[in-house]
Amino acid sequence: MSANPELEAQIDQWRGYVQRRRAISASDVEEMEDHLREQVTDLTRTGLDDDEAFLVSVKRMGNLDEVSREFAREHSDRLWKQLVLVPEPSDGGARSWRELGVVLALALGAGAAVKIGTELFADEMVVLRNVGLLVLPFLAGYFAWKRKLTWRVAAALLVPFTVLAVVLNVYPFDPEGSTLFLAASHSTVVLWALISVAYAGGRWRSDARRMDYVRFTGELAIYFVLIALGGGVLIGLTLGTLGLVGVDFEPVLESWILPFCVPGALIVAAWLVEAKQNVVENIAPVLTRVFTPLTIVMLLVFLGVFAMTGGLLDVDRELLILMDMVLVLVLCLLLYSISARDSLASPGLFDVLQLVLVVAALAVDAVTLSAMLTRIAEFGFSANKVAALGLNLVLLVHLVWSAWLSVEFLRGKRPFGPIERWQTRYLPAYAVWALVVVVIFPPVFAFA
């Protein structure tokens, strides 16, 4: 089928709608999409244009709500089976065991890479700035295997990974300088953006695939936190029990367990998100509806703190850093809530709350930017100040247009689709800015 951008956008929108039907699994969605594409191709060969062929094909697929109910009736035990890590052989268990073996091998590989890195580099700072390069390639490798990436796409991903490794280890950073910390922290953002290409199976331009990656990131955070909490309880009980009999378990914990378990948990959590889709997905609307009003209250409190500090020069540097962290949290909450929303649903109270959240974040961002510009005018430029200023400007553009689209949606002037597309199409701006901080900032600021 020809790569018509308008047709691909229509298929992406259809696919996103089908994915929100809980009774239809990810594999079923892929099969239905393949069937839809085949029908579109057949119809275009008869003389219909792409739009006509798409509409006729969707009509032939049937009413999606009816399809969802049909799946639910025929597979009523699916939601329970999703809780089983490895199903029976008749349900695809052989393939799942094979995938579990690949995941465990990659998890052990990530842990071994971190362990070898800590042994080879005596300097902890060298290990910290390379930890993303040691762990995240294994996560990218899992998706490359899972999505059956072509060698061409895999090679294209290998190049930026190599460039980042060279920059982080060849640049003559001042060990006490800020550019080292900035490069190390922002490289993680660049690496996460590269993993999205592997996650999307090379279709990184697809809006639906990008939104899937946003959803995956949120669910990965939930799974990783749950695994970390469970592991922390087990480790605490083990330390307490062995301590009672006089056994010092901390050296083993620091030297072996943590280097293997933390990176390994990330790979396992990613596998759980892939294997148990639609299980955690039901938590997303609850989390966003609970934390959105709480975050609004927190932003208003911070605005009050700004008002009480007096002049913009009196704003504490640590408070500005905290503001940036809060704004990033708001961005994550905004993306996650949009990814969990039914794009065809009518505007409601939560959409109003989401607009209030964005406007409050805009107010905080404007005050933060003013304080940063005032401090730069008074004390001069530095790597930290320019990096923070750039991040706030990128956030400002993102939030301003999100607010405008939300207003248009609430007024009935636009559908919800443009709000989704704006999020996914603007996300690369953060990766581009992070790449600038990693590659360009160090020489500009003399690696200090």
Side-chain angles (χ1 to χ4, degrees):
M1 191 169 62
S2 61
N4 184 332
E6 294 183 1
L7 177 60
E8 288 298 323
Q10 289 177 316
I11 293 178
D12 284 343
Q13 186 177 8
W14 174 88
R15 181 173 176 271
Y17 177 62
V18 176
Q19 282 180 322
R20 290 181 175 86
R21 297 306 180 263
R22 289 183 297 170
I24 304 178
S25 69
S27 59
D28 295 325
V29 175
E30 294 290 342
E31 183 177 350
M32 292 173 69
E33 182 180 344
D34 290 341
H35 184 53
L36 176 67
R37 289 178 179 274
E38 290 175 1
Q39 290 205 38
V40 171
T41 301
D42 292 339
L43 289 171
T44 53
R45 288 172 180 169
T46 64
L48 295 180
D49 61 31
D50 288 340
D51 289 338
E52 293 172 336
F54 173 76
L55 292 175
V56 172
S57 299
V58 169
K59 186 69 175 178
R60 289 181 178 178
M61 294 287 287
N63 184 285
L64 289 177
D65 289 324
E66 291 296 331
V67 172
S68 180
R69 282 192 285 271
E70 183 71 20
F71 267 82
R73 284 193 294 268
E74 293 185 4
H75 305 279
S76 58
D77 57 346
R78 171 171 287 169
L79 294 179
W80 290 108
K81 286 185 176 181
Q82 285 178 342
L83 300 176
V84 181
L85 283 178
V86 181
E88 296 297 326
S90 59
D91 297 323
R95 181 178 179 181
S96 296
W97 277 112
R98 179 167 171 259
E99 182 170 349
L100 178 59
V102 172
V103 168
L104 293 178
L106 290 170
L108 288 174
V114 173
K115 177 62 179 176
I116 293 172
T118 56
E119 295 294 331
L120 289 179
F121 306 113
D123 189 351
E124 291 184 357
M125 288 303 301
V126 176
V127 177
L128 288 176
R129 75 188 186 207
N130 283 283
V131 68
L133 290 167
L134 294 174
V135 176
L136 294 182
F138 290 91
L139 182 58
Y142 167 63
F143 288 122
W145 175 82
K146 179 79 173 176
R147 305 288 192 263
K148 297 180 174 60
L149 284 189
T150 63
W151 285 107
R152 181 179 178 183
V153 176
L157 283 175
L158 185 61
V159 173
F161 270 96
T162 304
V163 171
L164 282 176
V166 171
V167 167
L168 290 175
N169 293 281
V170 173
Y171 272 8
F173 291 105
D174 181 351
E176 304 297 329
S178 58
T179 55
L180 173 58
F181 171 77
L182 288 173
S185 58
H186 284 73
S187 66
T188 305
V189 178
V190 180
L191 289 170
W192 199 250
L194 292 174
I195 292 175
S196 70
V197 178
Y199 178 87
R203 294 174 57 190
W204 61 275
R205 293 182 179 178
S206 169
D207 292 329
R209 297 289 185 179
R210 289 183 185 178
M211 188 55 75
D212 287 344
Y213 190 61
V214 170
R215 196 176 293 112
F216 162 79
T217 302
E219 294 180 8
L220 176 66
I222 294 173
Y223 272 116
F224 185 77
V225 169
L226 291 176
I227 293 174
L229 290 175
V233 170
L234 292 177
I235 289 174
L237 292 174
T238 303
L239 284 172
T241 302
L242 294 178
L244 292 176
V245 296
V247 177
D248 186 8
F249 188 64
E250 288 190 10
V252 177
L253 175 66
E254 295 177 358
S255 299
W256 291 97
I257 295 180
L258 291 181
F260 275 89
C261 287
V262 175
L266 181 67
I267 308 298
V268 172
W271 168 65
L272 288 174
V273 174
E274 284 288 291
K276 306 299 156 193
Q277 292 183 22
N278 298 329
V279 175
V280 175
E281 182 181 278
N282 299 327
I283 303 176
V286 177
L287 291 177
T288 54
R289 279 161 174 76
V290 169
F291 284 101
T292 294
L294 294 177
T295 307
I296 292 173
V297 173
M298 181 179 63
L299 291 173
L300 295 177
V301 169
F302 281 131
L303 286 173
V305 171
F306 270 120
M308 290 186 295
T309 55
L312 293 176
L313 275 177
D314 298 327
V315 177
D316 190 76
R317 176 174 173 270
E318 281 70 24
L319 180 59
L320 293 177
I321 296 174
L322 182 60
M323 289 300 96
D324 280 343
M325 295 174 62
V326 170
L327 290 173
V328 172
L329 173 64
V330 170
L331 174 64
C332 295
L333 185 60
L334 174 66
L335 291 171
Y336 199 38
S337 62
I338 289 175
S339 72
R341 190 190 188 282
D342 187 348
S343 60
L344 299 181
S346 302
L349 176 60
F350 183 73
D351 296 297
V352 177
L353 282 176
Q354 191 166 278
L355 176 59
V356 173
L357 173 69
V358 174
V359 172
L362 272 172
V364 171
D365 196 11
V367 174
T368 305
L369 276 171
S370 301
M372 288 180 177
L373 290 172
T374 303
R375 292 176 67 89
I376 289 174
E378 181 70 19
F379 303 113
F381 289 94
S382 70
N384 284 328
K385 292 175 186 175
V386 177
L389 181 65
L391 174 60
N392 278 268
L393 289 173
V394 175
L395 282 167
L396 182 67
V397 175
H398 193 166
L399 294 173
V400 165
W401 195 243
S402 295
W404 172 250
L405 291 175
S406 297
V407 170
E408 292 284 284
F409 172 64
L410 291 173
R411 294 176 59 196
K413 301 293 185 181
R414 293 175 185 262
F416 190 76
I419 300 178
E420 283 187 308
R421 289 193 292 273
W422 167 245
Q423 314 306 320
T424 56
R425 293 178 183 181
Y426 191 76
L427 282 177
Y430 294 94
V432 170
W433 176 247
L435 186 63
V436 169
V437 174
V438 173
V439 177
I440 298 179
F441 268 45
V444 168
F445 291 95
F447 305 99

